[in-house]
Amino acid sequence: MYLYDEIDQRLVDERVAQFRDQTRRFLAGELSEDDFRPLRLQNGLYIQRFAPMLRIAIPYGLLASRQLRALAYIARKWDRGYGHFSTRQNIQFNWPKLEDVPAILAKLATVQMHAIQTSGNCIRNTTTDHFAGTAPDEIVDPLVWCEIIRQWSTFHPEFAYLPRKFKIAVSGSEADRAATQVHDIGLQARRDAAGNVGFRVLAGGGLGRTPLIGAVMRDFLPWQDLLTYLDAILRVYNRYGRRDNKYRARIKILVKELTPDVFRAQVEAEWAHLQGGPATLTTAEVDRIERRFTRPHYRQSEPVSSAYAGALARDKAFNNWVRRNVQPHKVAGYAAVTLSLKKTGVPPGDATADQMDAVADLADRFSFGELRVSHEQNLILADVRQADLYELWQAVKALGLATPNIGLLTNIIACPGGDFCSLANAKSIPVAEAIQRRFDDLDYLHDIGELDLNISGCMNSCGHHHIGHIGILGVDKQGAEYYQISIGGAQGNDASLGKVLGPSVSQAEVPDVIEHLIELYLERRDSEEERFIDVVRRIGIEPFKEYVYGSHHKAAPSRRRQLAAA
Amino acid sequence: MAAIIRQRQVVADSWQLLKPAADGTVALPDDGDVIVPLAVWRAQRDALLGRAGGLGVWLDANDDPALIAGDLGHFAVIAVNFPQFTDGRGYSIGRLLRERYGWRGELRAVGDVLRDQLFYLTRCGFDAFALRDGQDANAALAAFDDFSEGYQASVERPQPLFRRRGVAAPEATRS
């Protein structure tokens, strides 16, 4: 955990005072709604369907147990006893009152948290790998770099009023678990032949209406140049990004319209002035940030306990959970454990205040008092002794957070959708639940194997539907809620964007379509090793399209007509 | 005479900001201090240099400050227009004028300028502010002290915080 120093704390406290005064002026009629809107958005406050929605930053997904307890406290005192973990490693509360928000921010500040720049046209929370610092394939620990970027982006005076929101993701590993290719800027840590750390820099990736994979700006940017290079990219974007149309205002449109080569040349020309300037990072600063992170004091590597091996052999349910929800750790004798917030019947990513308190206790008992929030909307205890796994599993099971579905079809990523969000065209949560119910059989689910299913309630793509192996997008069809299904998307190193399967379908039909996709996949796969996404890539989307919509389909003719009419 | 904020004080202002008519021309008064659009400066340079009264130029959000980089010695004030306070291009223009082109005179934010933007504008090099009509300039002065520090390199503090911090932080540990 990064520990604030006196200045970090003072800045967050000053932000609370600033927002308290802005809220006071708004409520007193001194600030108009239009003038207040950008100010409240830069403190994470939306006016939503039922009430304001407050989005709180969980910088790069890292949380201390005392912070999670503060979130539980907020959920009880100012909300309705639960919170929603989002795909950007933040947490959202859907029921706070506007006049309570300054008090909520003050409470957050007591545990070194805030809602700074969690919305608005500014640099948002930097996200990273939820296994950062523990993954065996790690090249560098991205947490230190994320904190450096957090400080650089916090209250950046030049980039508070960009054409549109701006999201940076950092990956420190061989395997990209931070979706860096679909961010405004993606940073992939590298080491050169001499072992020096640097970053592969991508720009102009994104989802939304115009999904694009980021273009490479630099194959290897030395770490010292990180902030000056970010300044250069942001300055070119701030000056030349489109402001006439909010749907054309993201940096990806600028990169695309200029072409990546021209955009890169402009960035390099700007950077020529900034390179080597005062913002050039120093070893002293990187060391200082590094030292302010608390680190687990791992015990000497211990042999795998026989009790653990015995439990694995004896208890099939435990074995299933370990296979799906437990990840290897760089330190022998330890593991990273994912607590699934994807239990059937619970909106994906939701956690109650009681669950938060209980998970905070588990973090204290089993994982050095820390946890992670993943962009897949789960919670992770990243430093658990293998010998403790059985005991932890029993505790997690009792909390309803042990669904062994990580990486499987029912680990659905979903935005809050039309139940809460005023932007949504359609609901997400009931669709997720209907699919989870259809694939309730665990053996069947495990047989299907790895499959990412992502749902967004509208084109803003908060549910990352473009990079789901199966993506579901809510669309508005003459006032009715319909769903467009795409397949072939993927996150990670071989990221790709899904292709639309065919005409959109009604909510009731979605589980049928998913089931048919799975049927065809199971029929066509070479072996259990070949995942759904692999089959889509091998045979293309046509056979799936044909199977779902085509004349050879075994579904009743009446249903086909419904689909065709949709 | 309108009041503006200059160097954190509310002062009377003698400058007249000239806006172009529909045909792009401005009616140039014979004397008095004027701030002219960039296009007028470029088109009527000699006439402007020959007239009595102070001369300033203003840049719109899409104007390139490089175009006046060689002319700075002719101006007593440079203004940057903010068409809407949410249009952040002027922040980059301010930094470029100060940090790249070396402008040391008055840098004035004009247009849709509100108190809640004063702190960042100051960090980007602005030292004078003509607030949007109807804003309380005296009340706005408090905004300069919204924050006591900033992490980044800026015009106000060219060294970023990490180069200005004192001793290294004590090592953080946990059990």
Side-chain angles (χ1 to χ4, degrees):
Chain A
M1 204 63 221
Y2 175 81
L3 299 180
Y4 281 7
D5 73 358
E6 183 270 327
I7 298 174
D8 299 322
Q9 183 68 51
R10 188 174 2 124
L11 286 170
V12 170
D13 292 340
E14 287 170 348
R15 177 63 147 199
V16 175
Q18 183 195 39
F19 189 66
R20 193 185 294 279
D21 185 58
Q22 289 166 343
T23 305
R24 179 194 64 73
R25 281 185 277 139
F26 173 67
L27 293 173
E30 296 168 31
L31 257 179
S32 71
E33 172 57 39
D34 283 348
D35 291 345
F36 183 53
R37 185 183 305 111
L39 308 178
R40 65 170 163 75
L41 287 175
Q42 301 223 1
N43 286 284
L45 186 60
Y46 287 77
I47 302 298
Q48 281 288 22
R49 191 149 279 187
F50 300 111
M53 182 274 275
L54 179 65
R55 180 183 293 147
I56 293 164
I58 300 174
Y60 34 92
L62 193 58
L63 261 183
S65 55
R66 68 199 175 96
Q67 295 176 319
L68 187 57
R69 288 192 188 94
L71 294 174
Y73 178 88
I74 289 166
R76 283 195 192 93
K77 182 167 169 111
W78 288 293
D79 205 276
R80 296 191 178 176
Y82 67 96
H84 173 78
F85 290 98
S86 80
T87 52
R88 298 209 70 259
Q89 301 184 307
N90 295 311
I91 186 169
Q92 301 180 170
F93 288 108
N94 275 301
W95 307 97
K97 290 197 190 75
L98 169 65
E99 53 270 34
D100 288 338
V101 171
I104 297 174
L105 298 184
K107 172 70 184 175
L108 288 170
T110 65
V111 291
Q112 306 190 351
M113 292 183 79
H114 57 76
I116 295 163
Q117 292 168 211
T118 55
S119 181
N121 295 335
C122 53
I123 306 167
R124 305 284 191 87
N125 185 24
T126 297
T127 51
T128 190
D129 181 0
H130 40 271
F131 297 123
T134 73
D137 66 340
E138 200 157 271
I139 303 163
V140 298
D141 178 352
L143 296 177
V144 170
W145 300 100
C146 285
E147 176 58 25
I148 287 170
I149 294 168
R150 185 191 76 82
Q151 296 192 11
W152 162 82
S153 62
T154 297
F155 309 142
H156 198 302
E158 188 178 346
F159 305 132
Y161 297 99
L162 296 168
R164 200 75 178 83
K165 58 190 170 185
F166 202 93
K167 300 172 181 179
I168 300 175
V170 184
S171 167
S173 312
E174 299 285 352
D176 177 3
R177 285 176 292 265
T180 58
Q181 298 189 60
V182 289
H183 277 75
D184 296 290
I185 291 179
L187 298 170
Q188 302 170 346
R190 292 272 188 276
R191 279 185 195 277
D192 67 9
N196 301 309
V197 173
F199 298 91
R200 186 161 183 256
V201 182
L202 310 179
L207 299 174
R209 269 158 219 271
T210 314
L212 286 166
I213 299 288
V216 178
M217 294 290 110
R218 278 271 173 156
D219 218 42
F220 186 86
L221 179 75
W223 62 265
Q224 292 90 340
D225 298 323
L226 179 63
L227 299 185
T228 53
Y229 203 81
L230 292 179
D231 274 326
I233 294 176
L234 265 295
R235 181 171 287 171
V236 171
Y237 171 56
N238 188 41
R239 294 187 68 196
Y240 304 114
R242 285 179 62 169
R243 292 174 185 265
D244 57 331
N245 176 345
K246 70 181 275 197
Y247 301 116
R248 313 289 294 160
R250 293 290 288 271
I251 191 175
K252 63 190 172 185
I253 303 295
L254 180 66
V255 174
K256 185 170 176 240
E257 288 183 351
L258 288 175
T259 76
D261 285 341
V262 171
F263 178 78
R264 187 187 306 106
Q266 292 190 2
V267 169
E268 292 286 329
E270 181 58 40
W271 189 56
H273 295 282
L274 303 176
Q275 183 184 11
T280 303
L281 278 166
T282 60
T283 304
E285 172 62 359
V286 177
D287 288 350
R288 188 188 72 83
I289 299 276
E290 166 78 45
R291 280 197 309 276
R292 294 207 69 83
F293 272 90
T294 58
R295 298 287 180 185
H297 293 300
Y298 298 111
R299 297 196 199 176
Q300 287 293 318
S301 84
E302 27 193 295
V304 175
S305 84
S306 56
Y308 171 62
L312 275 182
R314 196 175 57 244
D315 194 326
K316 183 175 177 242
F318 176 61
N319 193 307
N320 263 342
W321 178 76
V322 169
R323 267 201 304 158
R324 292 314 325 175
N325 295 26
V326 175
Q327 299 293 320
H329 197 288
K330 67 179 181 187
V331 177
Y334 283 83
V337 174
T338 303
L339 312 185
S340 173
L341 297 181
K342 308 299 178 63
K343 186 184 176 180
T344 299
V346 178
D350 274 15
T352 66
D354 290 347
Q355 283 175 327
M356 291 184 219
D357 276 337
V359 170
D361 291 346
L362 293 178
D364 285 340
R365 263 173 75 196
F366 294 107
S367 197
F368 301 94
E370 278 185 15
L371 66 152
R372 320 291 181 91
V373 181
S374 75
H375 79 273
E376 293 175 343
Q377 302 173 287
N378 293 308
L379 300 178
I380 288 158
L381 299 178
D383 300 288
V384 179
R385 288 169 64 216
Q386 259 176 5
D388 291 337
L389 284 173
Y390 195 71
E391 194 186 344
L392 173 62
W393 173 64
Q394 289 173 314
V396 171
K397 212 165 45 152
L399 294 173
L401 302 175
T403 312
N405 62 350
I406 304 310
L408 302 181
L409 191 154
T410 58
N411 180 35
I412 295 171
I413 294 181
C415 67
D419 291 301
F420 294 99
C421 178
S422 52
L423 301 173
N425 290 320
K427 294 184 178 67
S428 304
I429 293 168
V431 175
E433 183 176 343
I435 295 167
Q436 287 171 329
R437 292 206 185 281
R438 183 68 62 93
F439 293 91
D440 207 23
D441 183 295
L442 266 182
D443 288 328
Y444 184 46
L445 195 61
H446 283 252
D447 183 44
I448 295 166
E450 274 184 36
L451 198 151
D452 293 343
L453 192 151
N454 300 354
I455 307 175
S456 303
C458 75
M459 256 308 179
N460 288 305
S461 316
C462 297
H464 297 182
H465 66 277
H466 296 294
I467 54 170
H469 299 166
I470 297 175
I472 301 176
L473 167 67
V475 294
D476 177 90
K477 211 160 221 186
Q478 280 127 33
E481 296 185 5
Y482 271 72
Y483 296 87
Q484 190 181 71
I485 317 281
S486 57
I487 61 173
Q491 57 177 338
N493 296 35
D494 56 351
S496 57
L497 303 168
K499 294 200 176 72
V500 175
L501 195 65
S504 55
V505 301
S506 72
Q507 187 176 322
E509 290 168 320
V510 172
D512 297 333
V513 173
I514 306 304
E515 194 164 9
H516 291 133
L517 290 173
I518 298 304
E519 279 169 15
L520 184 71
Y521 155 65
L522 292 174
E523 196 178 301
R524 300 291 292 268
R525 74 178 176 189
D526 285 340
S527 70
E528 287 185 14
E529 307 309 310
E530 196 180 30
R531 301 169 305 160
F532 177 85
I533 181 68
D534 301 327
V535 171
V536 175
R537 284 175 175 168
R538 178 167 57 80
I539 70 176
I541 81 161
E542 282 307 318
F544 288 92
K545 194 175 191 162
E546 172 72 7
Y547 193 80
V548 170
Y549 298 98
S551 55
H552 305 301
H553 195 271
K554 8 178 186 176
S558 64
R559 215 186 69 76
R560 274 210 310 282
R561 272 202 302 277
Q562 274 179 341
L563 283 171
Chain B
M1 205 171 279
I4 65 159
I5 297 171
R6 181 186 289 136
Q7 309 283 357
R8 303 195 177 197
Q9 291 188 317
V10 180
V11 297
D13 178 51
S14 65
W15 291 87
Q16 192 183 350
L17 188 86
L18 300 183
K19 300 238 168 91
D23 63 358
T25 62
V26 295
L28 207 56
D30 290 338
D31 54 13
D33 301 336
V34 293
I35 305 175
V36 302
L38 173 66
V40 171
W41 163 249
R42 286 162 65 78
Q44 304 181 48
R45 180 188 181 102
D46 291 340
L48 287 166
L49 291 176
R51 72 182 277 286
L55 178 64
V57 67
W58 66 270
L59 305 181
D60 213 340
N62 58 354
D63 285 335
D64 186 353
L67 296 176
I68 54 167
D71 302 337
L72 300 183
H74 298 299
F75 308 127
V77 54
I78 298 177
V80 177
N81 184 45
F82 290 79
Q84 295 169 318
F85 76 88
T86 50
D87 185 333
R89 287 176 287 183
Y91 294 83
S92 291
I93 293 173
R95 288 194 75 170
L96 289 169
L97 282 169
R98 292 288 195 208
E99 294 173 337
R100 189 157 307 161
Y101 306 122
W103 173 245
R104 300 205 176 279
E106 178 177 319
L107 184 60
R108 182 183 297 199
V110 302
D112 198 28
V113 179
L114 305 177
R115 71 167 273 177
D116 291 292
Q117 286 75 54
L118 297 187
F119 183 81
Y120 288 163
L121 286 169
T122 303
R123 293 193 63 206
C124 288
F126 290 89
D127 57 359
F129 310 89
L131 299 183
R132 179 211 283 171
D133 286 347
Q135 300 289 305
D136 181 342
N138 283 300
L141 295 177
F144 291 110
D145 298 318
D146 276 352
F147 296 95
S148 56
E149 253 302 352
Y151 288 111
Q152 307 77 7
S154 68
V155 176
E156 256 194 326
R157 289 174 167 142
Q159 298 293 312
L161 177 60
F162 69 78
R163 288 178 186 268
R164 293 185 280 108
R165 282 181 196 266
V167 288
E171 182 151 354
T173 55
R174 71 179 168 181
S175 56

